[in-house]
Amino acid sequence: MPPELPPSTHVTVSHHGAVTCLTLNRPHKRNALSLQVIAELRHAMENLPASTGAVVLDGAGEHFCAGLDLSELAETSPAEGLMHSRVWYEAFERIQFGRCPVVCVMHGAVIGGGLELASVAHVRVAEPSAYFGLPEGQRGIFLGGGGSVRVSKLIGASRVAEMMLTGHVYTAEEGLRIGLAHHLVGAGEGLRKGMELAARIASNAPLSNFAILQALPLIAEQPMAHGLLTEGLMATVTQSDAEAKARMRAFLEKRAGKVVPAAAQPQGVQ
Ligand code: 1HE
């Protein structure tokens, strides 16, 4: 069971217009994910104000996250271990399939459960200091925060197995290349980029963001005929909304931005 929630201590919540920032704030333990942290993340995601349209998730201190708090599993029984994973799964589901898209800003260690957490986010930004590891084999454990599924979907089960077997650590640049990050920015620029992307996401039509979060992952799992039907239905719903009509009209009347090459975008977005 998740622990009773005290006032937030290990996850700092701050609001910046339509963007809410959740910061793992346990730097003395390298933001290791205790059940308390997991519960606070879940609580924060379930209690976002109506004004929030997107979330940025980052970590205080030198590292994004050192993964599972190893002190919590040192003495657990198999049954407690199973429940531990379930608590993580439920919290991570709230993040992945919540109301708001999540942008994860990664620096320093993105290890084990830290990488599992990052893989729940919809957009990932890396600073050059970020490095990605899965030391589960070395620790005598296994992925338990959904990484077998989510990280495998990002980079393939073969790479996940090799990381766990050999302790292979990927650099930020390699992470970008293989799909662990979508953006690689300069040192100290991760949060600015994350906030910028989140603000952009929050300005999308809410129904489009809904479809991207709720329908797209299901469509990707469906047989092609089912997926195409689901997509067609979702497309019909989004484009029938007044918001979509207004946005398409704005473009046709030359009142909306064009899609331009990245190099021509002053801040990466137009
Ligand atoms: C921790 C943890 C942790 C640090 N659980 N306490 N994760 C790992 O195997 C990664 C383990 N951590 C590390 O390899 C290093 O700590 C770091 C590379 C992340 C950072 O190194 P450094 O030198 O900056 O810090 P440190 O001195 O190692 O750690 C500072 C403190 O944080 C220290 O506690 P202190 O009381 O001695 O000060 C560490 O014990 C503590 N600490 N990381 C608990 N992870 C759902 S299944 C997921 C499976 C996994 O996540 S496996 C991967 C686990």
Side-chain angles (χ1 to χ4, degrees):
M1 290 293 292
E4 284 299 307
L5 266 179
S8 180
T9 53
H10 294 326
V11 177
T12 304
V13 182
S14 57
H15 303 291
H16 312 267
V19 177
T20 291
C21 196
L22 307 183
T23 302
L24 302 176
N25 199 357
R26 206 187 172 210
H28 59 291
K29 293 290 181 188
R30 307 309 183 246
N31 297 324
L33 298 171
S34 60
L35 285 173
Q36 175 68 31
V37 176
I38 297 293
E40 286 187 28
L41 276 174
R42 174 177 174 166
H43 181 79
M45 286 302 296
E46 287 176 339
N47 291 279
L48 291 171
S51 55
T52 297
V55 169
V56 168
L57 172 65
D58 72 342
E62 298 299 303
H63 301 281
F64 171 65
C65 179
L68 166 73
D69 187 323
L70 293 164
S71 69
E72 284 191 343
L73 279 197
E75 307 294 338
T76 49
S77 68
E80 287 165 337
L82 267 178
M83 288 316 295
H84 188 276
S85 273
R86 294 233 66 87
V87 171
W88 280 48
Y89 295 156
E90 284 166 17
F92 283 9
E93 191 174 304
R94 299 305 193 286
I95 300 172
Q96 184 173 6
F97 297 109
R99 187 177 59 77
C100 292
V102 178
V103 179
C104 182
V105 176
M106 306 173 293
H107 69 291
V110 185
I111 296 179
L115 181 52
E116 294 183 289
L117 173 60
S119 73
V120 172
H122 306 95
V123 176
R124 282 171 301 281
V125 176
E127 291 197 4
S129 63
Y131 62 95
F132 307 95
L134 295 174
E136 278 76 2
Q138 192 184 341
R139 303 277 178 247
I141 55 178
F142 189 61
L143 289 159
S148 308
V149 179
R150 293 194 186 92
V151 184
S152 293
K153 280 189 179 151
L154 295 181
I155 63 174
S158 168
R159 280 204 185 93
V160 172
E162 194 270 341
M163 287 173 82
M164 283 200 281
L165 287 169
T166 70
H168 184 163
V169 170
Y170 283 94
T171 64
E173 205 159 303
E174 290 167 337
L176 177 73
R177 185 167 48 74
I178 67 176
L180 290 174
H182 300 103
H183 299 268
L184 177 59
V185 296
E189 289 177 11
L191 186 57
R192 185 194 57 73
K193 181 70 176 179
M195 296 294 290
E196 175 190 308
L197 292 169
R200 165 80 181 235
I201 290 167
S203 74
N204 291 339
L207 259 186
S208 294
N209 281 352
F210 173 87
I212 294 163
L213 260 59
Q214 312 300 333
L216 186 61
L218 300 188
I219 292 169
E221 305 278 316
Q222 290 176 341
M224 183 176 270
H226 298 201
L228 294 178
L229 180 64
T230 311
E231 181 191 90
L233 292 171
M234 200 67 248
T236 305
V237 172
T238 54
Q239 73 208 20
S240 305
D241 194 48
E243 173 94 22
K245 302 288 182 214
R247 286 173 182 244
M248 288 189 275
R249 219 170 20 248
F251 174 77
L252 295 172
E253 293 169 3
K254 311 212 179 299
R255 290 182 285 110
K258 298 183 184 182
V259 178
V260 296
Q265 296 177 357
Q267 306 241 299
V269 292
Q270 160 111 338

